[in-house]
Amino acid sequence: MASSSTSSTTSRSSSENQSSDREKASIGMEKSPDKGSKRSSSSAHEKTPEPSTSGVSPSSKQDSAEKKRKYEPSEADMKAYKHKKEKQEEERLKMQVLVSNFTEEQLNRYEMFRRAAFPRAAIKRLMQSITRTSVSHNVVIAMAGIAKVFVGEVVEEALDIMEKSKETGPIQPKHLREAVRRIRKRDSLFRPKKSLLNT
């Protein structure tokens, strides 16, 4: 009898332990997503550690501070920048006044001048044939701009020649040739070698 009572109490206690274990497990399962999310978030924090500044030497900190100081503009730089901005604004206003006083014919000519440009492909081909090397895109753009300025100077000189000789109408080839001759004489324009012209 005693053995049966002890076995019943042990079975009861074991069943109670099992039920309490089940309750704990069910409570744990309900709370497990929170714990899991906490674990996952803590593991995420662990995966991306913050960079420690303990490994950075004081000399590298000083170098970065010196670099920052170098990039900070001085007062003289700021004054020069402001002066440059003011000058640009003044030039823009002058140009605006000039354009507003153009006649219709002058305005049309100015618009044509602004639109005119040398084809970059032709400039690149010409430069590569002369230098016999590849030419970068920026160099081609610069050369096209220089060529446009040069043509503008030649045309302006040709118009002055026409005005002095009291001729009217479009510019003739003789005016352009005379303009180039005068520019060469005045500005010692580059004269290409015969070997370059023959190739």
Side-chain angles (χ1 to χ4, degrees):
M1 193 78 173
S3 64
S4 66
S5 65
T6 55
S7 64
S8 66
T9 54
T10 55
S11 65
R12 243 188 249 148
S13 64
S14 65
S15 65
E16 285 174 4
N17 286 342
Q18 286 176 353
S19 63
S20 65
D21 287 342
R22 285 185 194 142
E23 287 174 8
K24 286 178 184 176
S26 65
I27 291 169
M29 289 176 81
E30 290 172 3
K31 292 184 178 179
S32 64
D34 294 337
K35 288 179 182 175
S37 64
K38 285 178 184 175
R39 284 180 192 155
S40 64
S41 64
S42 64
S43 64
H45 289 298
E46 289 170 7
K47 285 179 185 175
T48 56
E50 294 180 9
S52 63
T53 56
S54 61
V56 179
S57 64
S59 62
S60 63
K61 285 182 181 178
Q62 288 174 353
D63 291 343
S64 63
E66 285 176 13
K67 284 180 183 177
K68 284 180 183 176
R69 272 188 237 121
K70 282 181 186 176
Y71 291 125
E72 289 176 6
S74 64
E75 287 184 27
D77 292 338
M78 291 298 291
K79 283 181 182 178
Y81 178 74
K82 284 180 182 177
H83 180 68
K84 186 180 176 183
K85 278 289 195 185
E86 287 171 4
K87 201 167 186 179
Q88 284 177 348
E89 184 65 22
E90 189 179 330
E91 290 291 325
R92 190 185 66 79
L93 289 172
K94 280 182 182 178
M95 196 66 196
Q96 197 173 0
V97 169
L98 183 67
V99 170
S100 64
N101 290 325
F102 276 168
T103 63
E104 193 174 338
E105 184 187 349
Q106 288 173 331
L107 191 61
N108 289 337
R109 282 172 61 191
Y110 178 70
E111 284 175 5
M112 289 299 291
F113 165 75
R114 293 283 292 186
R115 284 195 207 123
F118 283 95
R120 290 178 187 163
I123 295 282
K124 186 172 185 175
R125 210 177 317 115
L126 178 66
M127 288 180 72
Q128 285 178 343
S129 68
I130 291 169
T131 60
R132 293 193 174 95
T133 58
S134 61
V135 181
S136 70
H137 187 65
N138 290 338
V139 174
V140 172
I141 291 170
M143 187 55 72
I146 291 166
K148 182 176 176 178
V149 170
F150 175 70
V151 168
E153 286 180 5
V154 169
V155 168
E156 192 176 345
E157 189 70 32
L159 288 170
D160 289 344
I161 291 164
M162 280 181 64
E163 192 177 322
K164 284 177 183 175
S165 60
K166 296 178 181 176
E167 294 181 35
T168 57
I171 298 171
Q172 300 294 321
K174 62 180 182 180
H175 301 129
L176 294 172
R177 280 193 290 271
E178 179 63 22
V180 170
R181 189 190 66 78
R182 286 187 185 182
I183 290 171
R184 272 190 182 151
K185 188 178 178 182
R186 184 180 66 227
D187 299 334
S188 65
L189 189 69
F190 168 75
R191 289 190 179 122
K193 294 178 182 177
K194 288 181 182 178
S195 60
L196 286 176
L197 293 173
N198 292 335
T199 55

